Amino acid sequence: MDKRFGTRHFAVDRRVLIAGATVLTAAGAVPARSQERPMIDNATALIVVDVQNDFCPGGRLAVPKGDEIVSVVNAIARRFQNVVFTQDWHPEGHSSFASSHPGKKPFEMVQMPYGPQVLWPDHCTWDSAGAEFHEGLDVPHAQTIVRKGYRKEVDSYSGFMEADRRTPTGLSGYLKERGVTRAVVVGLATDFCVNWTAQDAARNGLQTFVVEDACRAIDLNGSLDKAWADMAALGVKRIKAGELG
Ligand code: VGL
Ligand code: ZN
């Protein structure tokens, strides 16, 4: 091979430009079978947010069509070497539950010491079937599960930082220590936990993508439009699964 065009040149050639974003496929990666797409490079992590029974139809805080993402997530995840799951994980009587606030109903707001909080139906209580991952998820190579929302008095939509905005989960350090510089975020719900996780990924200096067809939203009072705008303001790129490269 011509020395001027070593592996570096080859790596650059494999970049795929998507709507101004650059998503990398691993340099020299060859798909296992010709119809499969190439592997995503090792510096990019897939963060699969809260694909749990309570957020799927039949669950206690069902996201409309939440289960439709499962096969999309499985297909995407097969191309990643680094996969992290987040898992919403609340004790009974969690302060984000309307049932913990006499006179309040689900989807009303309250003021918490850390700011406004939407009140939710009880969901994802540890030891409940609703907190388990959807049984169709098929990502055996996922390496880490970050649980969040386990402190009774503080919620955590983000996989990186609790709602008090002071208590990190450790995910940022985990990714940095492993040389991860880019994050692709999928899961439930687009306008809550995906949104906050993607925003925090960007704030932590990761180049961040949200795959919109691998997410579904709750959409409370315009929360979905606001989420996309807030993510865009932080440089988060909105892409479709077919655009991953
Ligand atoms: C979520 C509301 C409450 C989410 C979690 O995963 O988006 N939403 N807890
Ligand atoms: Zn929750």
Side-chain angles (χ1 to χ4, degrees):
M1 192 203 283
D2 186 327
K3 279 276 186 317
R4 286 172 301 160
F5 303 116
T7 50
R8 189 156 170 276
H9 177 262
F10 183 58
V12 169
D13 257 0
R14 292 190 67 89
R15 292 181 186 205
V16 182
L17 284 171
I18 304 139
T22 308
V23 179
L24 298 184
T25 49
V30 182
R33 291 196 298 270
S34 56
Q35 71 271 28
E36 284 181 3
R37 323 248 342 224
M39 292 296 285
I40 305 286
D41 75 293
N42 199 29
T44 307
L46 179 68
I47 305 179
V48 179
V49 175
D50 297 3
V51 184
Q52 292 165 261
N53 292 328
D54 269 342
F55 298 123
C56 291
R60 292 182 286 177
L61 177 40
V63 179
K65 305 183 178 185
D67 55 335
E68 289 183 1
I69 69 167
V70 171
S71 58
V72 184
V73 170
N74 288 341
I76 292 173
R78 251 175 242 129
R79 303 182 54 205
F80 281 80
Q81 301 162 70
N82 289 321
V83 183
V84 174
F85 283 178
T86 71
Q87 189 172 27
D88 213 41
W89 195 252
H90 300 306
E92 295 283 351
H94 190 259
S95 57
S96 74
F97 297 168
S99 61
S100 304
H101 301 261
K104 295 283 183 189
K105 291 197 206 46
F107 310 109
E108 291 180 4
M109 303 285 301
V110 286
Q111 276 303 319
M112 297 287 210
Y114 53 80
Q117 169 74 48
V118 181
L119 293 178
W120 303 105
D122 290 19
H123 64 278
C124 297
T125 43
W126 57 46
D127 273 344
S128 71
E132 287 168 17
F133 293 114
H134 188 285
E135 66 172 11
L137 265 187
D138 183 17
V139 191
H141 58 295
Q143 296 152 354
T144 299
I145 299 171
V146 176
R147 289 175 168 168
K148 60 187 183 60
Y150 45 75
R151 288 201 295 149
K152 199 168 192 168
E153 63 286 357
V154 188
D155 206 2
S156 190
Y157 296 148
S158 166
F160 288 89
M161 183 75 87
E162 296 185 10
D164 62 6
R165 309 309 292 156
R166 292 165 184 278
T167 312
T169 63
L171 179 57
S172 175
Y174 171 85
L175 294 175
K176 282 207 177 97
E177 216 172 340
R178 293 163 57 98
V180 171
T181 58
R182 279 178 299 272
V184 174
V185 186
V186 300
L188 304 171
T190 322
D191 40 348
F192 289 93
C193 292
V194 169
N195 170 33
W196 285 60
T197 298
Q199 286 196 38
D200 279 350
R203 285 195 190 94
N204 278 294
L206 298 166
Q207 188 187 11
T208 306
F209 303 83
V210 173
V211 183
E212 64 175 325
D213 46 336
C215 301
R216 290 292 183 277
I218 296 173
D219 204 7
L220 273 185
N221 308 316
S223 58
L224 182 57
D225 286 345
K226 184 174 184 325
W228 285 123
D230 291 348
M231 287 190 274
L234 285 171
V236 174
K237 298 278 189 305
R238 174 179 179 173
I239 61 170
K240 297 218 163 62
E243 295 174 305
L244 266 175

